[in-house]
Amino acid sequence: MTARATEAGRRTPAEPSAAAKRPADDSRAAAPARSGGGIPVAAKRTLADDAYAELKARIMRSELAPGVKLSIDGMAKELAFSQTPIREALARLESEGLLARRPLSGYTVAPLLSADEFADLFDLRMMLEPLAARRAAERAPGAAGSGTRAAEVFAADGGDAADFPLLRDAARTPAPGAGKLAFTAADRRFHDAVAALSGSGQIAKAIRRLDAHLHLHRAYIAPESISETEAEHLAVAEAIIAQQPLAAEAAMRRHLERSQVRHAAAFTAAGAPAAPKPKRARANR
C-alpha cells in the first residue's frame, strides 16, 4: 500500500480528538448517493465527508466568514485531519460554490450574493425548477409516456410504488429546534429529488449549483418559515404523485415565489451590519 493510500484511508494520530469538535446540530448524515438515478439515499461515510461536513457547518454558522482565506495545511491542523480529506472537502465545497479558489492564493469563502445576483438566482430557479417538477410528474409511474425506471426509484425502499413514499419523505422538513443545518440539508434533498426525477441530468446539475448560493442566507431564515416550506414541498410532491404535470409546475412556482420573499428578508439580515454591543454602565463611586 502506498503512503498516499495509507493517508487517505486512516486518521493521523491526532485525528480521534476531532470527533469532539463536531457541531451538535450536524446530523452526520452520509453524503447523498443516488438510488436508481433518483432520490438521494445514504452512502458510506468517509473522512473527506467528515471534513466536508465540519467545514460546511463552520461556513453556515459564519465561523468562516465570507472572504476569509483557507489553507489546506491550516485547516488540517485546526481540524486534526490529514491533508488528503481536507483537500477533497475544499474541492467539494468549491464545486458547490461555497468556496472560491484563485491561483497562488488558495481557497477563500465565497462572498454573499449582491442584490442583483440574488434576483438573477431566483429568476433562473423560476425557469428551471417548475420545469423539473412538471417533467417529474410526466415521468411518474402511470403517467403518459413513463417507463419503469421512475417506479423503481419511488419503490426503492421496498414499499408500494403507488404510494411514492420517498418523495413524501423528502418533502418533510425537520422540527425548528433541529437547527439550520438540518433544515438546509432537508430543503436541498427535496429539490435534488425533484430535479433528479425530472430525468434531465443537465437540469439537475444546474439546480444543485444554484442552490449552493442560498446556503449562507438560510442561516437567517425565521423558524416559522420551516413549517411553511414543508407545506409547500408537500404540495409539489402530491401533484407529482398524482401525475398532474401542470399542477406540479404551478406548485413549484408558488413555492419559489414564497421562498424568494422569505430569502429576501434573510438576505437583508445577512447583509446588515452587526448591532454594536451596549456599553456597560459605570458604577457610581
Side-chain angles (χ1 to χ4, degrees):
M1 182 178 292
T2 64
R4 179 173 295 179
T6 301
E7 179 183 273
R10 68 184 185 193
R11 295 183 184 274
T12 61
E15 286 177 24
S17 63
K21 298 181 180 180
R22 300 290 181 262
D25 59 346
D26 177 11
S27 63
R28 295 181 61 79
R34 303 286 164 190
S35 174
I39 293 176
V41 296
K44 186 177 180 180
R45 189 153 185 144
T46 66
L47 291 181
D49 292 329
D50 285 344
Y52 163 82
E54 176 66 15
L55 287 169
K56 183 173 181 178
R58 293 187 179 204
I59 293 172
M60 289 289 295
R61 295 195 301 264
S62 297
E63 293 174 14
L64 296 173
V68 166
K69 291 185 177 181
L70 306 178
S71 73
I72 294 173
D73 184 59
M75 288 292 98
K77 290 178 179 177
E78 183 173 347
L79 301 181
F81 281 98
S82 61
Q83 290 191 8
T84 298
I86 293 294
R87 187 178 291 109
E88 293 178 13
L90 292 174
R92 183 173 167 187
L93 290 166
E94 180 195 10
S95 73
E96 292 185 1
L98 293 177
L99 296 180
R101 185 173 64 169
R102 295 176 178 81
L104 305 178
S105 298
Y107 291 95
T108 58
V109 179
L112 294 174
L113 296 173
S114 68
D116 287 342
E117 289 170 337
F118 177 82
D120 286 345
L121 184 147
F122 267 93
D123 284 345
L124 289 169
R125 291 188 74 191
M126 203 69 74
M127 288 189 287
L128 290 172
E129 298 205 47
L131 172 62
R134 174 164 60 82
R135 287 195 177 185
E138 290 171 347
R139 297 178 70 244
S146 68
T148 60
R149 184 176 179 82
E152 292 171 357
V153 169
F154 282 109
D157 66 346
D160 183 358
D163 293 330
F164 307 129
L166 293 184
L167 191 58
R168 284 197 182 98
D169 288 346
R172 303 288 181 184
T173 57
K180 299 296 174 61
L181 290 177
F183 169 63
T184 295
D187 187 67
R188 179 162 188 168
R189 254 194 320 273
F190 176 72
H191 286 272
D192 278 359
V194 174
L197 291 171
S198 73
S200 170
Q202 291 301 315
I203 290 176
K205 183 177 180 180
I207 288 173
R208 285 196 300 272
R209 179 74 180 183
L210 290 172
D211 184 76
H213 295 285
L214 290 177
H215 284 341
L216 297 178
H217 301 289
R218 286 194 179 100
Y220 297 86
I221 290 180
E224 58 269 20
S225 297
I226 295 177
S227 59
E228 295 172 2
T229 298
E230 180 174 293
E232 293 161 17
H233 282 180
L234 285 169
V236 175
E238 294 299 340
I240 292 173
I241 291 167
Q243 305 160 17
Q244 297 176 344
L246 295 181
E249 182 178 24
M252 180 62 84
R253 190 174 300 280
R254 284 194 299 272
H255 168 52
L256 292 177
E257 289 170 351
R258 294 168 183 170
S259 178
Q260 184 169 8
V261 173
R262 291 190 292 265
H263 276 91
F267 175 83
T268 301
K277 294 182 180 180
K279 294 182 179 180
R280 184 177 298 176
R282 293 184 178 179
N284 294 327
R285 294 184 180 274

